[in-house]
């Protein structure tokens, strides 16, 4: 039995928990190079929830996998950038150091709990394994810890259900078990990748509420990856919106709901179902996200953007500051924010 006592990174007050700096990730395939992440930078502080929003293919999950060190390399390559955890660059650490950080200091919650959990072991055994392997606990003590964790994530009758198998739980309960597993070793940072996408709306809200509650209680940093702006409004502090591997807008979460500063964010907000618009057709952003082997020149969003003009097809827009903690990578960011630019002008 292994007892891991070494702690490769010590918490330093005032230093961000995580700093992703100018990160580039590409995938080398037989058909060419897919540029999945193209210069992403963000920070997460202890106790902060950062929502990372975008459609599939935007680079949000690939960035998270690079942070966790779970990308298959090759085909993935990280040609540029840094990922600093408490000031130390993870990309310069040995595999062994990174392995120790995973689970102990940073943990990930995946979307598909059924494939993330092992179907042939009871959930109690799987939760207890964290304590047996990482803390050297006996089977009996590890099982008691598993029950404690199941209580923490509000699984009813935890003491009797600890011996049940994953398929005996509902999707929502399984996702609670995933949260329990991520929390087991009290990490400083949790990355939740679409944690509620597979659940129905009511259960989604309960699981998201639980995650937010536990994040506050343990003062962890939380990165919430989602394609759905509707699920992060009440839980996130800040938001970054990604498109074609770049951050196109960043802002405090409530500012973005009040007044989006990028046409893509505007489109995402308009496509959230609203009770007051019952019966009306739901807005959908036209077209599809770009092929990452052939990202459009200029602003990658230009073929889908109702505000695009000639300059958008030739010049990559720089990030324009829009007030405290806000910026938008759009040539017409200020006008979009103030509603002073007309859509469908091309
Ligand atoms: Fe649309 Fe142009 Fe702004 Fe890109 S830069 S989001 S194409 S208006």
């Amino acid at each position: 039995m292994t007892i891991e006592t070494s702690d490769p990174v010590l918490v330093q007050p005032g230093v961000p928990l995580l700093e992703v700096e100018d990160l580039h990730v590409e995938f080398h395939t037989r058909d060419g190079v897919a540029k999945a992440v193209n210069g992403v930078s963000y920070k997460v502080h202890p106790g902060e929830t950062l929502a990372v929003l975008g459609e599939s293919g935007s680079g949000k999950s690939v960035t998270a996998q690079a942070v966790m060190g779970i990308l298959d390399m090759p085909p993935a390559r990280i040609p540029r950038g840094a990922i600093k955890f408490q000031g130390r660059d993870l990309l310069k650490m040995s595999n062994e150091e990174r392995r120790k950080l995973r689970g102990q200091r940073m943990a990930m919650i995946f979307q598909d709990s059924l494939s993330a959990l092992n179907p042939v072991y009871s959930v109690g055994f799987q939760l207890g394994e964290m304590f047996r392997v990482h803390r050297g606990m006996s089977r009996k003590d590890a099982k008691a810890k598993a029950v404690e964790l199941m209580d923490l994530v509000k699984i009813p009758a935890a003491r009797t259900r600890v011996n049940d198998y994953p398929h005996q739980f509902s999707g929502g309960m399984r996702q609670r078990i995933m949260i329990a597993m991520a929390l087991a070793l009290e990490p400083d940072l949790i990355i939740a990748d679409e944690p509620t996408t597979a659940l129905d709306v009511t259960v989604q809200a309960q699981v998201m509420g639980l995650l937010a509650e536990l994040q506050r209680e343990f003062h962890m940093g939380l990165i919430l990856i989602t394609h759905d702006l509707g699920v992060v409004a009440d839980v996130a502090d800040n938001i970054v919106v990604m498109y074609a591997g770049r951050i196109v807008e960043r802002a405090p979460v409530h500012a973005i709901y009040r007044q989006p500063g990028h046409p893509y964010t505007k489109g995402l907000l308009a496509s959230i179902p609203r009770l007051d618009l019952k019966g009306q057709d739901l807005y959908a952003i036209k077209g599809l996200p770009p092929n990452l082997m052939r990202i459009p020149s200029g602003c990658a969003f230009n073929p889908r953007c109702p505000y695009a003009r000639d300059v958008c097809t030739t010049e990559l827009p720089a990030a324009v500051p829009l007030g405290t903690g806000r910026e938008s990578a759009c040539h017409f960011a200020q006008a979009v924010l103030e509603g002073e630019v007309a859509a469908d002008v091309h």
Side-chain angles (χ1 to χ4, degrees), residues 262-264 299-302 305-309 312 317 329-332 336:
H262 191 280
Y264 179 56
C299 172
F301 189 53
N302 83 71
C305 180
Y307 303 94
R309 303 183 185 188
C312 304
C330 171
H331 291 303
F332 308 104
V336 169

Side-chain angles (χ1 to χ4, degrees), residues 145-321:
K145 275 287 193 186
V147 174
E148 248 177 57
L149 277 174
M150 288 170 74
D151 274 334
L152 185 70
V153 296
K154 303 187 171 92
I155 293 182
R159 199 168 293 279
T160 48
R161 300 221 63 192
V162 71
N163 296 318
D164 286 353
Y165 291 85
H167 72 272
Q168 293 173 287
F169 291 86
S170 66
M173 287 296 151
R174 272 200 304 272
Q175 209 52 324
R176 285 168 190 259
I177 292 162
M178 294 302 300
I179 294 173
M181 210 167 250
L183 286 172
L185 303 177
E186 296 175 26
D188 304 299
L189 177 73
I190 287 196
I191 301 179
D193 192 358
E194 306 270 10
T196 60
T197 301
L199 308 175
D200 68 46
V201 178
T202 326
V203 182
Q204 236 178 35
Q206 290 166 355
V207 171
M208 202 56 88
L210 172 73
L211 194 54
E213 188 186 316
L214 294 168
Q215 181 262 342
R216 275 193 301 273
E217 191 177 331
F218 294 103
H219 199 63
M220 297 175 297
L222 174 64
I223 299 177
L224 205 48
I225 297 168
T226 180
H227 66 278
D228 184 355
L229 250 176
V231 306
V232 295
D234 297 328
V235 292
D237 301 301
N238 296 298
I239 192 161
V240 295
V241 182
M242 288 187 67
Y243 190 79
R246 292 182 192 278
I247 291 177
V248 294
E249 181 163 12
R250 75 174 84 227
V253 78
H254 293 299
I256 233 169
Y257 283 89
R258 266 200 316 275
Q259 233 184 345
H262 191 280
Y264 179 56
T265 319
K266 257 186 185 261
L268 291 174
L269 272 173
S271 45
I272 300 174
R274 284 172 42 183
L275 278 176
D276 56 328
L277 300 179
K278 208 173 156 192
Q280 292 186 25
D281 287 343
L282 202 55
Y283 176 81
I285 300 171
K286 71 170 188 182
L288 294 170
N291 179 336
L292 297 174
M293 289 187 197
R294 286 184 288 280
I295 295 175
S297 59
C299 172
F301 189 53
N302 83 71
R304 306 175 72 189
C305 180
Y307 303 94
R309 303 183 185 188
D310 289 346
V311 64
C312 304
T313 61
T314 53
E315 283 177 34
L316 182 67
V320 179

Side-chain angles (χ1 to χ4, degrees), residues 1 6 18 20-21 32 36 43 61 85 95 118 157 171 210 216 248 275 287 293 313 315 325 333:
M1 205 171 287
S6 71
L18 181 77
V20 176
E21 291 175 358
K43 289 182 189 171
S61 294
F85 186 76
N95 288 343
N118 190 326
L210 172 73
R216 275 193 301 273
V248 294
L275 278 176
M293 289 187 197
T313 61
E315 283 177 34

